[in-house]
Amino acid sequence: MQIIQTVVVKQILTEKSKQQLFEKYNSKKLQLQKECDQLQFELKRLEKTKNFSQVSLKNQFEKEIQFRKEKIKLLEFQIEQLHILPLGSELKEREVQALVEINVGDTWDLSLGQPTIIIKDGIVEEIR
């Protein structure tokens, strides 16, 4: 019988991966800032048309802008933490699903231990 099991994928922090993560976080941050600017521009434009309920419209736009600003703060925190982390640290990258073969007589605890895949610069380094 086969069952589906969650496998944790971790990345070993190297100079190359650190730079890639920094660029990824920074590009997401810039994108969110652009979205905030665009939302503020659209709000001002729609306020001038006066075809909509001003209060509910403004509340909805402010809510969306605030949501993006919170994501920006989280990204800034992640960038800070990235600078603090020493090289060689293991970062949880994601979780994936894997099929595991279970047979009669298998030890249940050993069969369902939490497997982990370790990646270094995009190459599988180890499977635990």
Side-chain angles (χ1 to χ4, degrees):
M1 169 188 259
Q2 290 185 335
I3 60 171
I4 297 175
Q5 183 178 30
T6 301
V7 178
V8 176
V9 178
K10 292 184 177 181
Q11 175 176 306
I12 295 177
L13 194 64
T14 63
E15 277 297 330
K16 182 180 175 182
S17 63
K18 194 173 190 175
Q19 184 62 32
Q20 287 173 339
L21 281 171
F22 176 75
E23 289 170 6
K24 179 177 141 185
Y25 292 155
N26 211 29
S27 68
K28 281 183 184 179
K29 182 180 162 188
L30 290 174
Q31 178 62 35
L32 288 167
Q33 287 171 336
K34 285 179 187 177
E35 288 176 15
C36 283
D37 293 342
Q38 184 64 32
L39 284 167
Q40 288 173 340
F41 174 78
E42 287 295 322
L43 175 61
K44 288 178 184 176
R45 188 177 67 80
L46 289 173
E47 282 177 341
K48 291 178 184 176
T49 62
K50 300 189 192 272
N51 292 341
F52 304 100
S53 168
Q54 295 295 320
V55 175
S56 66
L57 179 71
K58 185 173 177 80
N59 285 342
Q60 185 62 32
F61 271 86
E62 289 298 325
K63 186 175 155 185
E64 288 296 323
I65 290 169
Q66 189 60 37
F67 176 71
R68 283 163 177 77
K69 285 184 178 182
E70 287 175 16
K71 280 187 169 182
I72 289 171
K73 284 181 185 176
L74 177 63
L75 284 167
E76 287 171 346
F77 176 74
Q78 287 176 319
I79 289 170
E80 269 180 44
Q81 294 301 307
L82 185 62
H83 289 302
I84 294 171
L85 278 174
L87 296 179
S89 300
E90 290 182 4
L91 301 174
K92 181 178 175 183
E93 188 174 297
R94 68 180 93 146
E95 291 183 352
V96 294
Q97 302 295 314
L99 287 175
V100 177
E101 185 73 32
I102 301 292
N103 297 306
V104 174
D106 287 349
T107 305
W108 180 252
D109 291 338
L110 294 178
S111 300
L112 291 180
Q114 181 69 38
T116 305
I117 298 172
I118 307 297
I119 296 176
K120 185 175 183 180
D121 290 333
I123 299 170
V124 175
E125 186 84 6
E126 179 181 356
I127 298 174
R128 298 181 190 156

